Amino acid sequence: MRTLHTARSARTARPARLLAVTGAALAALALTACDSGTGTRDEGAAGGSTSAQSTGGTGTSGGSSTTGGSTTGGSTSTSGGGSAATGGTTADKASSKGGTSDPSDPENRVTCNGSNTTVTAQPVSRPLNHMLITVKNTGSKYCDLYFNPTVRFGEAQSAPRVIEESQPQAVVTLAPGESGYAGVLLSAADGSGGGKGTTEKKVVIHFQGAEVGSDAGSPASPALPAKGVYVDNSVAVTYWQSTMEDALQY
């Protein structure tokens, strides 16, 4: 009887132990699964946050992305803006200095004078008693003819009057090889010049600088006809002109 009771107890204990072992195993598996899931979720959240920041996700992470985007975009914009600003500064400097490599730009031009031109002075048949002064730019740069030539005949101490109505709208600028002109009224056609005229065989042409009355440098002494030119008190000179027609119309 005791043996039967013992056998029954043993049979009862085995399922109990088996259940206990199984329960412990299930609990361990559950705990392991729980830990593994939690760990995965935590890592996923951290990775997601990092990813969101780096890729510009929404919410707070999007803010990080926005900041990053602004930094990158700002750098590009700043760089571009810097270039534009630099370009603007260069343009301003170029503008203030006359600009560029354009040879006709004011800052790249020089003043015409006897050293960079050839000058001729020839009487003309029409209009009567007029002489044409021609200045040709023989230099390598554009040159400016300012105001009017200062003309000295012979040993005269004073220059002829200037015909004010001949003043052009702009300074006459000569490209290399181009010519400018001035006309000289030598004497009155009707003899009303007053005083006694003289025949002059020498003339000196002086050039003015950008300021009226200033000396632009080397004068020119073009040859006159061998017989000379007759000059009386009505002698007058025009401003520099771009064409001989304009120079001889006064």
Side-chain angles (χ1 to χ4, degrees):
M1 191 69 180
R2 183 178 300 168
T3 302
L4 178 61
H5 178 75
T6 302
R8 286 180 178 176
S9 298
R11 285 197 299 268
T12 303
R14 281 198 299 271
R17 285 195 300 272
L18 180 60
L19 288 175
V21 170
T22 302
L26 289 174
L29 288 173
L31 181 59
T32 302
C34 183
D35 291 340
S36 176
T38 302
T40 303
R41 283 196 298 272
D42 288 344
E43 290 176 0
S49 176
T50 302
S51 175
Q53 290 178 4
S54 63
T55 59
T58 58
T60 304
S61 297
S64 300
S65 175
T66 301
T67 303
S70 297
T71 302
T72 304
S75 297
T76 303
S77 175
T78 302
S79 176
S83 297
T86 302
T89 302
T90 303
D92 292 341
K93 289 180 180 180
S95 176
S96 67
K97 291 183 178 181
T100 59
S101 60
D102 182 357
S104 66
D105 191 288
E107 284 298 322
N108 294 327
R109 302 197 302 250
V110 297
T111 302
C112 301
N113 60 32
S115 68
N116 54 21
T117 63
T118 57
V119 182
T120 61
Q122 295 293 325
V124 296
S125 57
R126 290 287 186 274
L128 292 175
N129 304 334
H130 277 67
M131 182 176 75
L132 179 67
I133 299 173
T134 302
V135 175
K136 182 178 181 180
N137 182 358
T138 56
S140 60
K141 295 184 177 182
Y142 280 65
C143 73
D144 292 324
L145 287 168
Y146 290 103
F147 307 108
N148 57 274
T150 301
V151 181
R152 304 278 186 179
F153 285 104
E155 302 301 322
Q157 298 300 309
S158 61
R161 68 180 179 88
V162 179
I163 303 173
E164 292 297 335
E165 56 267 33
S166 68
Q167 184 173 359
Q169 293 183 346
V171 173
V172 175
T173 299
L174 306 179
E178 288 186 340
S179 296
Y181 309 89
V184 181
L185 171 64
L186 296 171
S187 60
D190 58 4
S192 61
K196 181 179 180 180
T198 60
T199 298
E200 300 293 348
K201 295 186 178 181
K202 177 184 176 182
V203 66
V204 178
I205 309 297
H206 296 266
F207 297 84
Q208 297 187 62
E211 294 184 11
V212 63
S214 62
D215 186 357
S218 302
S221 300
L224 293 175
K227 65 179 181 179
V229 294
Y230 181 78
V231 180
D232 67 14
N233 289 343
S234 61
V235 63
V237 64
T238 69
Y239 282 81
W240 292 113
Q241 308 292 330
S242 297
T243 67
M244 62 177 66
E245 290 78 13
D246 289 340
L248 294 175
Q249 68 174 311
Y250 300 96

